[in-house]
Amino acid sequence: MPFPYEVMLAICELVYWSADGRRLLLPISQVNTSIREVALEVLWNELPSAEPLLHLLPEDVIERHLERDGKWSYSYIGTPLPSDLEQFYTRAPRIRAIISHEHSLRYDAVDAFKNILDYHSSISNAPFLLHLAHLQLSNNSDPLLEFIPSLIHMGLETLVLPYRSSLSSSIISRVLQILPPLRNIVYVEFGEEAHDFVHHIHLMPSLRSLTIPLLEPAVMQAVFSHPHLLDLTVVVYMEVHVLDADMSFHHAFRSFSIIFTRSFLFGGVDEETLNTAITILRALRVPCQQLSVTSSLHVGGDVLGELIEALAGQDICSIELARSLSRLTHLTVDTDSFTPHNSVPLGANFLRPLYSFTLTHIDFGCFNMCHLDDDALLAVANAMPQIESLILGTSRYWPTPPRASL
């Protein structure tokens, strides 16, 4: 008696999301026809690149060679017949997501992909990937970026573009042209294109999560006024132009994140990234439940202490900031860089300024040294009985263990 579809789907998904799951799922797909269909559905649901699509056409249309480095090379041979696309049109509707962490299309595959895309457009008005809902690219030189405007359709819900891509403007123009029901957009481009996009987000009522560069307060007001936005991330690159502004908010955000990024050619904001974060927080005073700051450079525990004090300080700027964070439950500070072993440690009572907040989760996992002892831990437990997780120093090497016996 065959397993119910739901059971087989759960098994195949469990295998797929395990280590090396894609390779392990292939032999399972050969057991019988019913299992094969379920396994193929899982395998094609999320692709790491667009190249598997090129394997759905016959060799006399796209010639393929497995190179010594384990990667495929492609050559477009000739125009396909309608019958040559039968397997493509069988598999393509299964694709729900393309999530690439490198190049999702090799340069020698561009010609083949373009010709197949053009041929499809010549015979059909339907989207090339009918059920594609999640499209995420990470490399700003990815050849697939050229074809993204042709992949955008009314079923797309998530669009994640690499930072500062020269082709992003044409992609966003296409988004604004057809206005798919996007729920999540990552678009970090600087200049008039970013300003124009932000001024049009009121046309996207389905938007729930947004990542954009930090822009002038007058431009950011359009973001703060969006009636349905829940999660906002601003990316800080190079200079910071933030002036005190009387911002108004339609509602409190679920999360607000600040990410500092650097350029190998031009550097970034400077080593005082958390001080810059304080300036941004005080200027914008974004009401949120979850606050996250990611620094491009490691900073010491003394600088983190300054940030914590600024969140709950007694000067007028800190009081107004604390008022905007009155509903704060999650606080995270992270860094993209390696934590040096000789950084300034966190003080024993560095959390004391946070006692006035109703925090349930604190994550300082990138700070690998502190003087937190049993007495300090007991004080935290008594002052913050609602705390559910406190993460310190778990993501970096810790040369000197803390003095807490737990």
Side-chain angles (χ1 to χ4, degrees):
M1 179 178 179
F3 284 110
Y5 168 81
E6 292 78 9
V7 174
M8 282 309 309
L9 180 62
I11 293 173
C12 289
E13 288 179 340
L14 186 63
V15 173
Y16 179 83
W17 292 112
S18 64
D20 205 14
R22 183 178 291 271
R23 183 183 63 83
L24 295 174
L25 195 55
L26 287 174
I28 294 178
S29 67
Q30 306 302 315
V31 174
N32 59 44
T33 303
S34 60
I35 295 179
R36 180 174 182 270
E37 288 304 310
V38 177
L40 288 176
E41 180 177 340
V42 173
L43 283 169
W44 283 94
N45 181 70
E46 178 184 313
L47 299 183
S49 76
E51 291 180 6
L53 294 169
L54 302 179
H55 291 255
L56 298 177
L57 285 91
E59 288 275 1
D60 56 356
V61 176
I62 296 179
E63 190 175 88
R64 301 177 287 274
H65 297 284
L66 185 60
E67 304 294 340
R68 291 182 177 179
D69 61 0
K71 298 181 179 180
W72 291 89
S73 62
Y74 305 90
S75 299
Y76 183 72
I77 304 301
T79 303
L81 299 172
S83 58
D84 293 331
L85 293 173
E86 181 178 345
Q87 189 177 17
F88 173 85
Y89 287 127
T90 299
R91 300 284 180 244
R94 301 176 186 265
I95 301 171
R96 301 293 190 274
I98 296 177
I99 300 177
S100 175
H101 300 291
E102 299 179 355
H103 278 187
S104 57
L105 198 65
R106 288 171 60 103
Y107 288 103
D108 60 7
V110 169
D111 185 54
F113 191 86
K114 179 181 184 302
N115 279 280
I116 297 304
L117 186 60
D118 290 345
Y119 180 75
H120 166 80
S121 300
S122 70
I123 63 173
S124 174
N125 293 323
F128 186 63
L129 299 176
L130 183 61
H131 296 123
L132 182 67
H134 187 123
L135 183 53
Q136 178 176 333
L137 304 183
S138 302
N139 194 305
N140 60 14
S141 62
D142 194 326
L144 187 63
L145 286 165
E146 176 186 349
F147 306 106
I148 297 304
S150 300
L151 300 181
I152 294 174
H153 65 101
M154 290 305 296
L156 192 64
E157 297 180 358
T158 295
L159 178 61
V160 178
L161 299 176
Y163 292 1
R164 300 182 63 83
S165 168
S166 60
L167 296 173
S168 292
S169 58
S170 62
I171 298 172
I172 293 300
S173 295
R174 177 61 175 167
V175 168
L176 295 177
Q177 178 186 356
I178 70 171
L179 294 174
L182 287 166
R183 297 179 60 86
N184 178 20
I185 301 178
V186 175
Y187 173 52
V188 180
E189 183 58 69
F190 296 81
E192 291 303 317
E193 294 88 353
H195 289 71
D196 183 63
F197 167 70
V198 170
H199 283 307
H200 285 86
I201 65 168
H202 67 281
L203 300 175
M204 304 177 182
S206 60
L207 197 59
R208 299 294 183 271
S209 178
L210 178 66
T211 299
I212 56 172
L214 179 64
L215 303 170
E216 295 82 357
V219 182
M220 295 299 297
Q221 182 60 66
V223 178
F224 300 150
S225 301
H226 193 286
H228 305 295
L229 192 64
L230 298 176
D231 305 304
L232 173 63
T233 298
V234 294
V235 177
V236 181
Y237 180 86
M238 297 293 287
E239 299 180 16
V240 178
H241 300 288
V242 176
L243 302 175
D244 286 334
D246 186 16
M247 310 302 297
S248 61
F249 297 86
H250 182 276
H251 59 276
F253 291 118
R254 178 172 57 190
S255 69
F256 176 58
S257 302
I258 304 174
I259 297 177
F260 292 90
T261 185
R262 289 173 55 83
S263 165
F264 288 109
L265 294 177
F266 304 109
V269 287
D270 61 24
E271 296 188 3
E272 301 299 324
T273 52
L274 293 195
N275 290 332
T276 306
I278 294 172
T279 301
I280 296 171
L281 291 169
R282 284 177 168 174
L284 299 180
R285 297 187 292 277
V286 179
C288 60
Q289 297 177 2
Q290 303 174 26
L291 175 63
S292 174
V293 177
T294 301
S295 170
S296 57
L297 296 170
H298 174 70
V299 295
D302 54 339
V303 180
L304 176 60
E306 293 176 7
L307 172 63
I308 292 174
E309 290 178 1
L311 294 178
Q314 297 304 311
D315 59 278
I316 185 63
C317 292
S318 294
I319 291 174
E320 292 180 356
L321 173 58
R323 187 179 297 117
S324 70
L325 299 176
S326 60
R327 300 171 60 187
L328 191 67
T329 59
H330 291 62
L331 177 61
T332 300
V333 179
D334 200 1
T335 179
D336 288 334
S337 63
F338 175 73
T339 303
H341 70 276
N342 58 348
S343 61
V344 178
L346 299 168
N349 299 308
F350 74 99
L351 290 172
R352 183 174 294 170
L354 298 178
Y355 290 174
S356 59
F357 294 95
T358 55
L359 287 166
T360 57
H361 297 80
I362 300 175
D363 186 351
F364 299 147
C366 63
F367 294 86
N368 60 349
M369 288 185 291
C370 71
H371 295 306
L372 201 67
D373 56 15
D374 287 342
D375 292 337
L377 279 174
L378 180 60
V380 171
N382 289 331
M384 308 178 76
Q386 77 285 352
I387 201 76
E388 297 178 20
S389 65
L390 172 60
I391 302 175
L392 295 172
T394 59
S395 59
R396 299 290 189 274
Y397 171 62
W398 201 322
T400 304
R403 294 180 290 113
S405 65
L406 302 182

